[in-house]
């Protein structure tokens, strides 16, 4: 006998509409929720079997069955769990946000081997996102009577007595017709259902089974095929992160990396991390071998897959990784997370922050170990993702500089391979006070820079900065192990050059010449000085202030047209023949020739720095004048 329709006990249709249309971001989540509920029901049955000796129940009997009929638009989710009584159907399904699982957890507490997934009691209602009608047939353990719960949505529900052969629950959904915006047929196809199960519920502890279609050659024919169907287990059940590390091989980790589509390459480094303490979690993290094609674009989304008790909660949880480790792929599973009502968005709680901090420390520790124990592999990693670590030093005004300073590498004047800052400092001579560096477009150009001559002659190693972020990061870092950084192009090299003893008359005359040159080039350079850094080259540009010449080039190459200008100093080598020609013209008061030489030397210094000439035509005309 069909009973009268009952109204939901929740306050209003608006609440159910909210459950169906607003809480869940993706409609496909409904299957995750129903499978999780089925898993809960079997956990309860398993717990009952553990606590009551009279129950003879084989865990192998536990399973979740997914079946579908595309023509009738029916999707069924069945379980062999504990089932529900008539009262439980009315209470648990008739009251939105009434959770039998929450009551079970409250009454029993935790138990070995029992991980109850759901607790809010709203997951079932996600089925209405894809269904015109939902029927629930359930037979509780210990009863021969089954009941059927039927609803078409917020108008209410009815409960009828019915017949069911075995204990458990079956949810039967009448799937909606396709619309312009929603393609509901994917919930009635083997491929669509398999994809959702593998994505969200692959590690549910019980087998999720489904009919799978195959084809084979008909017996006695050469080109005729027939279809046949088998029932197969779709999910993996035992997560790789729950297994002992000793049981796993590199191939196991590599297969997981590729199955989860973390990358199309192979992982360079795998980190299997099991943490116990204030917060417990399992993680498998990968450092990819190659950079994703969209890594430095707005489209790239960092984050780790986040699971709660084996159920995927978030596809990419960006809060688990700092930006400077955004290249890391993988997953985290924790039983300690505080979830919100939709099991999609996390509360911003202490557990999540602790997990993120632990993961950050673990990644750094593993990278440092790799640097010490497998230099070749670390250098391969750094050549791919080192720029991101340097950005990490620079961003946020250096808030993470101490975290990252031991991970960055640079080329140098004395090493063919990359070196760390610690290695540089440890090899410094006793009389060296500073860490010297030179910045340029390429290693080849930096090696030929005139500004490096004096520092190199002193026997001091020079770090070579070839990436646009290098000098910005070092300026933020400012020092390492008490040693300040100093550019070879800076106005002060930080050591005596031994070039201070000069004839007093020559000094006075040189000062007059340099004052004259400064006046002629006043719109182009801040000063003109005798160079104490040049040995073989006649001229170079040095800089003063916070913005270097290399920074000027980088900043002005950006699209926002900043027009940044470094404070430039023209340095002239007074030991060079070119200077003697310049001074000779000045002594003979041939100011036209002095001006000609000054312009050529200034433009030569610009070319050495890779800066554009202000007037290329005049420069060529000046060269012609000299040749004549």
């Amino acid at each position: 006998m069909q009973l009268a329709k009952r109204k939901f006990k929740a306050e209003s249709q608006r609440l159910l509409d909210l459950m169906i249309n607003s809480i869940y971001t993706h409609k496909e989540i409904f299957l995750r929720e129903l499978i999780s509920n089925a898993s809960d029901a079997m956990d309860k049955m398993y717990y009952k079997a553990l606590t009551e000796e009279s129950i003879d129940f084989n865990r192998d009997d536990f399973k979740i069955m997914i079946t579908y009929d595309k023509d009738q638009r029916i999707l069924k989710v069945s379980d062999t769990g504990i089932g529900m009584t008539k009262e439980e159907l009315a209470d648990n399904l008739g009251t939105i946000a009434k959770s039998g699982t929450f009551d079970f957890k409250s009454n029993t507490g935790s138990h070995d081997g029992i991980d109850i997934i759901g607790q809010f009691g709203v997951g079932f209602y996600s089925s209405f996102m894809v269904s015109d009608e939902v029927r629930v047939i359930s037979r509780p353990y210990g009863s021969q009577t089954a009941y059927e719960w039927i609803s078409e949505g917020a108008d209410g529900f009815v409960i009828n007595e019915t017949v069911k052969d075995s204990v458990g629950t079956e949810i039967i959904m009448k799937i909606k017709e396709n619309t312009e915006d929603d393609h509901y047929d994917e919930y009635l196809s083997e491929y669509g259902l398999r994809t959702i199960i593998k994505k969200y519920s692959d590690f549910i502890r019980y087998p999720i089974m489904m009919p799978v279609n195959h084809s084979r050659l008909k017996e006695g024919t050469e080109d005729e095929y027939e279809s046949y169907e088998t029932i197969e287990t779709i999910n993996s059940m035992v997560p790789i992160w729950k297994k002992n590390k000793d049981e796993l091989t590199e191939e196991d980790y590599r297969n997981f990396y590729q199955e989860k589509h973390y990358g199309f390459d192979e992982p360079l480094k795998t980190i299997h991390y099991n943490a116990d303490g204030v917060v417990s979690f399992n993680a498998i993290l990968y450092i990819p071998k190659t950079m994703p094609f969209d890594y430095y674009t707005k489209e790239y989304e960092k984050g780790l897959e986040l699971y709660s008790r084996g159920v995927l909660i978030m596809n990419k949880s960006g809060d688990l990784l700092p930006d400077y480790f955004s290249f890391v792929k993988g997953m985290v599973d924790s039983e300690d997370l505080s979830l919100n009502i939709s099991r999609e968005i996390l509360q911003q709680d202490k557990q999540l922050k602790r997990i993120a901090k632990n993961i950050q420390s673990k990644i750094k520790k593993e990278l440092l170990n790799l640097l010490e124990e497998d230099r070749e592999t670390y250098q391969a990693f750094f050549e791919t993702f080192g720029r991101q670590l340097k950005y990490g030093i620079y961003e946020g005004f250096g808030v993470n500089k101490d975290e990252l300073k031991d991970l960055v590498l640079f080329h140098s004047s004395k090493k063919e391979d990359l070196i760390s800052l610690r290695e540089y400092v440890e090899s410094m001579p006793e009389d060296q006070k500073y860490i010297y560096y030179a910045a340029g477009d390429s290693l080849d150009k930096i090696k030929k820079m005139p500004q490096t001559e004096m520092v190199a002659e002193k026997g001091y190693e020079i770090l070579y900065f070839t990436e646009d972020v290098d000098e910005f990061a070092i300026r933020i870092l400012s020092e390492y192990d008490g040693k300040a950084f100093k550019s070879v192009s800076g106005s002060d090299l930080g050591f005596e050059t031994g070039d201070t003893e000069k004839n007093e008359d020559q000094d006075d005359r040189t000062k007059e010449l340099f004052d004259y040159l400064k006046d002629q080039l006043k719109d182009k350079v801040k000063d003109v000085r005798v160079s104490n850094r040049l040995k073989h080259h006649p001229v170079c540009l040095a800089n003063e202030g916070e913005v270097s010449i290399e920074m000027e080039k980088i900043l002005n190459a950006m699209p926002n047209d900043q027009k940044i200008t470094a404070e430039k100093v023209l340095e002239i080598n007074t030991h060079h023949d070119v200077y003697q020609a310049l001074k000779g013209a000045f002594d003979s008061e041939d100011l036209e020739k002095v001006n000609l030489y000054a312009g050529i030397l200034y433009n030569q210094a610009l070319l050495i720095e890779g800066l554009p000439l202000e007037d290329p035509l005049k420069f060529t005309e000046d060269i012609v004048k000299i040749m004549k």
Side-chain angles (χ1 to χ4, degrees), residues 540-554:
C540 74
L541 286 175
N543 58 262
E544 293 184 344
E546 291 300 314
V547 179
S548 71
I549 294 172
E550 197 62 27
M551 285 179 168
E552 173 188 316
K553 291 193 292 183
I554 293 167

Side-chain angles (χ1 to χ4, degrees), residues 49-322:
L50 289 175
T51 55
E52 298 182 20
E53 295 182 1
S54 60
I55 298 177
D56 182 17
F57 213 95
N58 189 337
R59 183 164 179 172
D60 292 338
D61 294 333
F62 291 130
K63 63 183 177 181
I64 301 168
M65 180 67 72
I66 311 288
T67 58
Y68 60 94
D69 184 329
K70 189 170 185 178
D71 295 332
Q72 299 297 319
R73 303 195 69 78
I74 295 296
L75 175 64
K76 297 180 182 179
V77 178
S78 307
D79 68 64
T80 56
I82 199 166
M84 287 180 281
T85 65
K86 179 181 177 181
E87 291 73 19
E88 287 170 334
L89 281 169
D91 288 344
N92 295 344
L93 304 188
T95 305
I96 300 174
K98 165 72 172 178
S99 173
T101 293
F102 182 82
D103 293 342
F104 177 81
K105 292 176 71 174
S106 300
N107 294 331
T108 64
S110 60
H111 194 284
D112 291 342
I114 300 294
D115 291 328
I116 299 296
I117 300 167
Q119 58 179 305
F120 293 105
V122 300
F124 166 76
Y125 297 96
S126 63
S127 59
F128 286 101
M129 292 191 298
V130 301
S131 309
D132 289 325
E133 180 189 83
V134 179
R135 296 167 58 211
V136 180
I137 300 174
S138 191
R139 176 181 158 187
Y141 176 78
S143 173
Q144 298 298 316
T145 304
Y147 291 91
E148 179 181 50
W149 182 99
I150 306 173
S151 177
E152 295 179 353
D155 288 343
F157 61 94
V158 296
I159 299 179
N160 302 315
E161 186 174 319
T162 188
V163 175
K164 190 176 186 300
D165 293 337
S166 59
V167 172
T169 300
E170 183 176 70
I171 299 173
I172 305 164
M173 291 159 279
K174 179 73 172 179
I175 300 299
K176 295 178 179 180
E177 296 289 342
N178 293 332
T179 67
E180 186 176 338
D181 297 326
D182 295 299
H183 191 67
Y184 293 101
D185 281 357
E186 67 176 303
Y187 311 128
L188 296 168
S189 72
E190 177 189 320
Y191 176 79
L193 293 169
R194 178 191 290 270
T195 300
I196 297 170
I197 292 168
K198 293 295 287 183
K199 180 178 181 179
Y200 294 103
S201 306
D202 197 30
F203 306 111
I204 290 289
R205 69 174 69 230
Y206 305 106
I208 303 171
M209 310 186 78
M210 193 173 77
V212 176
N213 291 309
H214 303 275
S215 63
R216 62 189 171 195
L217 194 64
K218 279 187 179 180
E219 188 175 348
T221 67
E222 295 182 357
D223 57 1
E224 289 188 50
Y225 288 83
E226 61 181 358
S227 297
Y228 69 100
E229 191 175 83
T230 60
I231 302 297
E232 297 182 8
T233 299
I234 305 301
N235 60 323
S236 303
M237 288 186 285
V238 180
I240 185 175
W241 60 84
K242 289 284 190 178
K243 296 180 180 179
N244 292 327
K245 297 177 185 179
D246 296 340
E247 301 175 21
L248 299 168
T249 65
E250 286 300 317
E251 185 177 3
D252 293 325
Y253 290 118
R254 185 166 57 249
N255 289 341
F256 184 69
Y257 178 84
Q258 293 169 347
E259 287 169 5
K260 300 300 291 180
H261 304 293
Y262 292 141
F264 297 103
D265 57 348
E266 292 186 356
L268 185 75
K269 172 71 176 176
T270 301
I271 304 170
H272 189 165
Y273 186 25
N274 299 320
D276 291 308
V278 178
V279 61
S280 299
F281 64 90
N282 300 306
I284 295 182
L285 311 173
Y286 295 99
I287 297 173
K289 186 174 290 185
T290 58
M291 183 186 298
F293 71 92
D294 61 346
Y295 187 63
Y296 285 111
T297 69
K298 292 180 180 178
E299 286 70 34
Y300 181 80
E301 187 180 2
K302 72 168 184 175
L304 302 174
E305 286 185 332
L306 183 61
Y307 292 79
S308 178
R309 301 172 180 87
V311 177
L312 181 65
I313 303 303
M314 295 182 69
N315 195 41
K316 286 186 183 293
S317 177
D319 292 335
L320 288 172
L321 288 175

